[in-house]
Amino acid sequence: MLTNKGKYGLKAMIHLAGKPPGEPSLVADIAAANAIPKKFLDAILGELRTARLVHSKKGRGGGYALAKSPSDIMVGDIVRALDGPLAPIACASRNFYRRCDDCSSEKACHVRLMMLEVRAAIADVLDHRSLSAMRDLTETHGELTYEI
């Protein structure tokens, strides 16, 4: 499940993607426009800076801006930078694999096999969708509704 940190990070990145290239945005402006607690956003943007997805400039005319074009930033990279692995359980993770203590045979574990499928589906969407494509979703889909 996407955490609030991941959700707020995506909202902040969409905000920055809507700015002209290289134009910085103040944390307070991003927070106010997206209903994100400013202190939490400071920490989120720091993690995104460490992941080299945004860069910051201090002083007059400073703020945060995308480190590269929105079409070159994959949504999966943002989610991983903030929330870690995409896999719902550690034994299904490609990059952060950890064997389960309670599993006697991974090859026969129905839970792991299903979660490998889930992880692959999530990665397929997030790793093939750029930030600019995500930003354009409201223009192409309008109000989305799904039956549950």
Side-chain angles (χ1 to χ4, degrees):
M1 183 183 310
L2 189 67
T3 65
N4 276 341
K5 180 167 64 168
K7 182 173 82 171
Y8 292 158
L10 288 170
K11 286 182 169 193
M13 292 294 282
I14 291 293
H15 181 97
L16 294 174
K19 296 289 181 183
E23 182 182 306
S25 291
L26 297 173
V27 175
D29 293 341
I30 300 169
N34 294 282
I36 303 170
K38 184 186 174 302
K39 192 170 185 174
F40 194 20
L41 184 58
D42 277 326
I44 291 167
L45 289 169
E47 289 185 41
L48 292 170
R49 185 180 59 239
T50 299
R52 297 187 170 141
L53 296 172
V54 300
H55 62 272
S56 62
K57 181 180 171 189
K58 294 185 183 214
R60 187 183 259 290
Y64 283 90
L66 296 179
K68 49 190 170 180
S69 166
S71 60
D72 294 330
I73 298 173
M74 293 298 124
V75 176
D77 294 331
I78 300 166
V79 173
R80 282 185 191 91
L82 297 171
D83 282 348
L86 299 178
I89 57 176
C91 67
S93 179
R94 185 173 286 167
N95 298 319
F96 300 94
Y97 168 84
R98 194 178 72 247
R99 186 178 175 90
C100 295
D101 295 334
D102 61 343
C103 193
S104 59
S105 171
E106 285 187 332
K107 290 182 179 174
C109 178
H110 299 288
V111 174
R112 178 176 187 266
L113 295 173
M114 176 60 73
M115 293 305 113
L116 283 169
E117 225 178 291
V118 169
R119 185 241 166 253
I122 291 170
D124 187 50
V125 172
L126 298 182
D127 290 340
H128 294 96
R129 185 77 47 99
S130 69
L131 185 59
S132 62
M134 183 178 171
R135 186 188 63 209
D136 294 342
L137 282 175
T138 55
E139 294 170 13
T140 58
H141 291 290
E143 195 66 32
L144 294 176
T145 56
Y146 295 96
E147 280 195 38
I148 297 175

